[in-house]
Amino acid sequence: MHENIKKTIEDHINEKMIIRIERKNVTDDEAIVGFPIKLSDDFLLMTNIFDFYDDGYTIVKTSDISDAYSKESDEFYEMICINENLLKKADECPISSLKSMKDILTELNKQNFFIIVECEKSEDDFFIGKIKSIDENKVVMQSFDALG
């Protein structure tokens, strides 16, 4: 991740501003929009807001980030999101460590959250479910498909 992108993210964390994150090598061109919460060398933790709707938390590998910015029009969007209490989600985040993916998943598992895992280099695009167990090299999930 470039230094200027890192600085932009850090500024948005400090100012509690909405940010747009673009990722390289992603099939859709949609930016992730939300309030950034924490940044480490390896991961960015942020809320995910979609059409004024709280869509949970998102964890992005910093190596995948190609751009980070906010548009002038985001000021109005941000104001509405704050009035809808979507900034509160950032303040209540249960994830304290971004040290490793195992640490992150362990904290999520303690909260008994449903999670979505986007897959790289796999036939499946993503899995939705709850974490059953966490190993150094893999996560076992109780997942479900469109049929439940």
Side-chain angles (χ1 to χ4, degrees):
M1 177 171 56
H2 292 91
E3 254 333 284
N4 60 337
I5 293 174
K6 181 179 179 183
K7 172 121 175 58
T8 298
I9 294 170
E10 289 170 341
D11 289 347
H12 279 73
I13 290 171
N14 292 335
E15 298 296 323
K16 297 189 178 210
M17 295 171 54
I18 278 187
I19 196 166
R20 294 176 181 272
I21 300 293
E22 291 185 6
R23 298 174 294 159
K24 49 188 158 190
N25 305 323
V26 178
T27 54
D28 63 26
D29 289 340
E30 290 274 329
I32 301 169
V33 178
F35 292 100
I37 302 169
K38 293 179 183 156
L39 179 66
S40 72
D41 289 337
D42 299 317
F43 302 103
L44 167 64
L45 169 65
M46 62 186 288
T47 66
N48 192 1
I49 300 170
F50 185 76
D51 284 342
F52 304 102
Y53 174 74
D54 168 19
D55 206 17
Y57 297 104
T58 296
I59 300 159
V60 181
K61 291 192 298 187
T62 55
S63 59
D64 289 344
I65 298 173
S66 59
D67 202 359
Y69 59 93
S70 52
K71 301 180 195 176
E72 190 175 320
S73 60
D74 286 334
E75 288 181 37
F76 183 66
Y77 186 68
E78 177 182 271
M79 189 173 54
I80 293 171
C81 290
I82 290 170
N83 287 332
E84 292 292 324
N85 286 324
L86 297 180
L87 179 58
K88 184 178 178 185
K89 178 104 178 171
D91 294 332
E92 296 174 346
C93 183
I95 301 168
S96 61
S97 173
L98 295 181
K99 212 179 296 181
S100 70
M101 187 54 74
K102 183 178 180 181
D103 288 349
I104 294 166
L105 293 171
T106 299
E107 288 193 45
L108 288 172
N109 197 25
K110 288 178 186 174
Q111 299 296 321
N112 201 27
F113 285 155
F114 281 93
I115 65 169
I116 298 173
V117 177
E118 290 185 13
C119 302
E120 298 173 347
K121 302 174 188 160
S122 172
E123 292 177 13
D124 300 302
D125 290 336
F126 61 90
F127 291 99
I128 301 174
K130 289 192 175 189
I131 299 169
K132 286 178 68 175
S133 65
I134 303 164
D135 191 322
E136 283 299 320
N137 299 316
K138 69 178 180 178
V139 176
V140 177
M141 291 181 58
Q142 178 181 353
S143 61
F144 56 89
D145 57 19
L147 302 174

